[in-house]
Amino acid sequence: MKKSERVFGIDLGTTYSCISYVDEYGKAIIIPNRDGERTTPSVVCFENGCASVGSVAKECAPMEPENVCACIKRQMGNDEYIAQYCGVEYTPEEISSFILRKLVQDASDYLNEEIHNVVITCPAYFFVRERNATKRAGELAGLNVLQIVNEPTAAAVSYGYNEQSDVKTALVYDLGGGTFDVTVMRFSREAIEAIYTDGDHRLGGKDWDDRLVELVAQKFCDETGCSTSPLESPESQAQLLLDVERAKKALSSRRQTKIRVSHDGERANIEVTREEFEEITRDLLERTVDFTRTVLEGARERGAKVEEILLVGGSSKMPAVMQILEQNFDIPLRLYDPDEAVAKGAAIIGNNLRLRKLLEQKLSEHEESATELIVDIVDEVASETGFIPQTILGAMRKVTNVSSKSFGTDAVFNHEQYLLYKRDCIIHNRRFDPTDPGSGIRVSNIIYKNTPLPAIRVHTYSTTVDGQRKILSSLYENHMGEEAEEFGVEMADCNLLTEEFIPLPPNLPAGTPLKYTFILDEEGLLTARVEVIGTDCVYHQRVQTGKARSDSELRIQEQRCSELIIKD
């Protein structure tokens, strides 16, 4: 099997995943799995030394729920979460790597070529650790992860490459199986730009399923008089989850449906209407409306007028979604390729990365201007790759994103409290009044959410006492925007990314300026640079992938993943 030169796009979803590539005409193609399905359930069933992934694993849940893992995406970046199956402990990124291996294994067999280079998507509202964990999952699957891309951005790219208007602004409403993102995007012939984003990485179709499961279980108990709930039995609950998912899909086209429930020797056909389902989940939909309204207002403040709302993500197919958006917003709606748009967009982004690299290499080999050479070089790249020239030129279209989080470091509001609290090991933000008795420790944001990426921002702080020998440099992320600039962000509202002591030169006077430079790349990954002004001392601080692991731990993790057999 030959090694593929292509870059593949992978939508690693909470409930379903899929993989795509771009053909020579620039069209994104979904690759079916071994069972002929265009999407693969993100479910893993473990046996001794083996694992099955997809529909087979999903159907195993009612029979052996203790060996089946689903919705692992909601645990990505959680260092405290360890799952044990068949006596072996696995991290969320390891389990996700098995799903990726299945996708790639089936796609490789379908195309008869070895897949190596990929772009993987994640929710726009994933934190840094979750993004790093997603990339780590790809590496554990033996893949070269070129980029982690926001899901709504990928969906917008899939849409935008077919959009022929000169300039258009659309809101991408992405309601997936486990996450919700909403992003305003501007499309033009030269670029696709994110304007404003918001969302909740723990809100998705799974929450609708859970509400329906609770309703059906209660109805079952009421109708049969059963003394125990189906939710108290892992087997009954797993079967009910499968049946409820089918019922939810049925309610998208029918006004009512029946679910057959068997538990503790009792059986009943439980009828559920669409009206009942929509009533018990209305608050979930209203949460998505609140996010949508916030993003529309934020985009409007930046001069963007949304002309269309694109509905993507499998859960956006529920009729109530379009109904509530029509009730709240006077903007045209369009259900756009809900199950596949994200994977297709990731494939387009990955293919463009490859083609741009080839174009840049060719241009660097010539002394003439790019304008004079571009036609010849495009033809040359087209000849080498098999893509038509229009596809090569399309790769020059720029895609830009925005930060979904704010990033900063802690600062002091009250000098005396600061000395007691931090014991002379942190820095003091010079913008704040150290004499204010109501002040305290806050996080001072350096990069605000919805800042265009890549971003470089600089703030100057200062030491607090003569002869200070070190600072405890802490990096945080939070959801607050520029409204928090004046007073900072409460520590309880922030997520600590990393912290480390940084030594300072001796005999520094109090008030020595310290320049912090935050660098946020296209993938939303952060590094910081700390410079002691007036000296040659410069330190670089990187956000680690969750808790630091030793080389031996990493090798064990890699070996454990490589030894597990993914069954056909």
Side-chain angles (χ1 to χ4, degrees):
M1 186 181 293
K2 67 175 182 178
K3 187 174 181 179
S4 178
E5 296 296 326
R6 303 189 235 231
V7 179
F8 293 77
I10 297 178
D11 174 8
L12 181 60
T14 306
T15 53
Y16 288 88
S17 300
C18 61
I19 184 170
S20 176
Y21 74 98
V22 175
D23 68 12
E24 63 271 27
Y25 301 104
K27 183 179 179 181
I29 307 295
I30 295 292
I31 309 170
N33 63 22
R34 188 176 294 274
D35 299 320
E37 302 165 327
R38 294 172 68 84
T39 60
T40 298
S42 303
V43 182
V44 183
C45 179
F46 293 86
E47 300 175 38
N48 290 324
C50 301
S52 56
V53 177
S55 296
V56 172
K58 192 173 182 179
E59 295 298 329
C60 288
M63 296 172 285
E64 42 185 318
E66 71 280 359
N67 292 331
V68 175
C69 180
C71 297
I72 193 62
K73 183 174 178 177
R74 285 195 165 182
Q75 300 298 335
M76 292 295 274
N78 182 357
D79 295 331
E80 305 304 318
Y81 184 88
I82 299 292
Q84 187 175 91
Y85 297 98
C86 300
V88 181
E89 293 184 342
Y90 298 99
T91 63
E93 55 263 37
E94 288 178 86
I95 296 173
S96 295
S97 79
F98 305 147
I99 299 169
L100 292 170
R101 278 176 59 189
K102 170 64 174 175
L103 290 171
V104 169
Q105 192 170 289
D106 286 3
S108 293
D109 292 342
Y110 184 87
L111 297 173
N112 193 31
E113 55 187 64
E114 182 184 336
I115 294 173
H116 184 57
N117 297 313
V118 299
V119 166
I120 304 176
T121 62
C122 75
Y125 242 56
F126 254 19
F127 287 100
V128 168
R129 284 180 177 170
E130 293 153 342
R131 292 172 184 272
N132 283 333
T134 302
K135 190 168 188 176
R136 176 65 177 159
E139 294 166 350
L140 288 171
L143 302 171
N144 179 31
V145 183
L146 299 180
Q147 196 168 332
I148 300 296
V149 176
N150 290 349
E151 289 165 359
T153 299
V157 167
S158 174
Y159 168 83
Y161 269 72
N162 299 316
E163 177 60 40
Q164 297 302 312
S165 60
D166 289 336
V167 180
K168 185 172 185 177
T169 302
L171 181 143
V172 181
Y173 176 103
D174 184 1
L175 184 58
T179 61
F180 173 70
D181 288 306
V182 57
T183 304
V184 171
M185 306 289 298
R186 181 183 289 121
F187 306 93
S188 68
R189 296 187 185 276
E190 294 77 29
I192 297 177
E193 306 167 84
I195 306 298
Y196 205 93
T197 190
D198 207 337
D200 188 339
H201 69 283
R202 299 191 68 82
L203 174 64
K206 175 68 166 57
D207 300 289
W208 273 256
D209 292 350
D210 291 344
R211 294 285 179 88
L212 190 52
V213 163
E214 292 171 2
L215 174 66
V216 172
Q218 184 59 54
K219 281 193 168 192
F220 172 82
C221 292
D222 293 343
E223 290 188 20
T224 64
C226 189
S227 59
T228 63
S229 167
L231 303 184
E232 297 176 43
S233 163
E235 292 79 9
S236 298
Q237 183 181 28
Q239 183 63 56
L240 187 54
L241 279 167
L242 284 176
D243 295 337
V244 154
E245 184 184 358
R246 298 188 189 103
K248 182 182 72 171
K249 293 177 180 178
L251 288 173
S252 290
S253 57
R254 299 201 292 246
R255 303 301 305 183
Q256 61 186 43
T257 190
K258 289 186 177 181
I259 303 169
R260 186 167 181 79
V261 184
S262 298
H263 170 67
D264 200 18
E266 301 285 350
R267 291 192 181 95
N269 290 322
I270 306 300
E271 183 176 279
V272 178
T273 66
R274 184 190 294 176
E275 287 72 21
E276 285 179 303
F277 177 53
E278 292 178 352
E279 178 61 29
I280 63 173
T281 57
R282 185 167 183 83
D283 64 303
L284 299 176
L285 267 184
E286 288 174 345
R287 284 168 61 187
T288 73
V289 170
D290 291 341
F291 281 117
T292 302
R293 185 174 289 108
T294 296
V295 168
L296 283 170
E297 291 173 356
R300 194 177 300 117
E301 290 174 359
R302 298 187 177 202
K305 183 180 179 181
V306 172
E307 303 164 63
E308 186 175 31
I309 295 178
L310 304 177
L311 307 181
V312 301
S315 299
S316 67
K317 291 182 286 187
M318 294 184 292
V321 170
M322 189 166 287
Q323 291 169 6
I324 200 168
L325 292 176
E326 287 176 340
Q327 292 168 4
N328 284 272
F329 308 106
D330 186 23
I331 302 173
L333 304 174
R334 177 179 176 183
L335 185 64
Y336 178 74
D337 201 3
D339 297 314
E340 301 176 359
V342 170
K344 289 178 178 178
I348 292 169
I349 291 171
N351 188 62
N352 289 353
L353 288 173
R354 176 196 172 197
L355 294 178
R356 277 201 301 271
K357 185 176 180 180
L358 288 172
L359 286 169
E360 289 167 1
Q361 288 176 346
K362 297 292 183 185
L363 286 168
S364 67
E365 296 170 1
H366 298 273
E367 296 181 358
E368 297 93 331
S369 70
T371 303
E372 296 172 355
L373 287 169
I374 193 65
V375 174
D376 292 338
I377 289 178
V378 166
D379 289 340
E380 190 177 342
V381 172
S383 176
E384 290 182 9
T385 61
F387 290 105
I388 63 173
Q390 288 90 333
T391 300
I392 308 294
L393 290 170
M396 301 172 69
R397 197 177 189 184
K398 188 177 181 182
V399 178
T400 61
N401 223 325
V402 294
S403 170
S404 60
K405 301 286 187 300
S406 293
F407 298 90
T409 186
D410 49 358
V412 63
F413 282 63
N414 180 284
H415 186 62
E416 183 177 349
Q417 179 184 350
Y418 153 79
L419 289 173
L420 294 173
Y421 182 69
K422 287 294 185 180
R423 297 188 181 180
D424 190 28
C425 292
I426 248 282
I427 55 181
H428 162 54
N429 189 328
R430 299 173 72 185
R431 293 180 301 155
F432 299 139
D433 180 8
T435 64
D436 182 359
S439 299
I441 301 295
R442 300 286 193 276
V443 169
S444 166
N445 284 332
I446 296 177
I447 291 180
Y448 292 99
K449 69 177 185 178
N450 289 304
T451 297
L453 300 180
I456 300 177
R457 297 291 186 273
V458 178
H459 276 192
T460 300
Y461 302 86
S462 68
T463 59
T464 57
V465 294
D466 291 335
Q468 188 168 333
R469 294 306 307 272
K470 57 185 176 181
I471 58 172
L472 178 61
S473 181
S474 307
L475 308 184
Y476 295 85
E477 60 187 350
N478 58 78
H479 297 298
M480 301 299 291
E482 295 184 19
E483 70 276 6
E485 180 175 3
E486 185 176 358
F487 300 108
V489 184
E490 294 284 351
M491 302 292 286
D493 296 329
C494 298
N495 178 37
L496 177 64
L497 296 173
T498 186
E499 62 181 4
E500 61 184 86
F501 281 104
I502 294 179
L504 299 177
N507 303 319
L508 291 178
T512 298
L514 304 171
K515 186 168 76 173
Y516 258 64
T517 303
F518 272 24
I519 303 169
L520 198 62
D521 68 14
E522 292 90 343
E523 299 179 54
L525 302 179
L526 179 72
T527 57
R529 182 176 184 268
V530 185
E531 179 182 355
V532 183
I533 302 299
T535 75
D536 57 359
C537 293
V538 178
Y539 304 94
H540 293 86
Q541 192 172 1
R542 299 182 184 278
V543 176
Q544 300 295 324
T545 307
K547 64 181 179 183
R549 303 182 191 275
S550 66
D551 290 342
S552 61
E553 287 178 316
L554 293 174
R555 283 194 297 270
I556 290 171
Q557 192 180 51
E558 291 167 356
Q559 182 177 355
R560 186 164 56 227
C561 289
S562 64
E563 289 178 347
L564 188 84
I565 298 171
I566 305 297
K567 297 170 68 176
D568 293 337

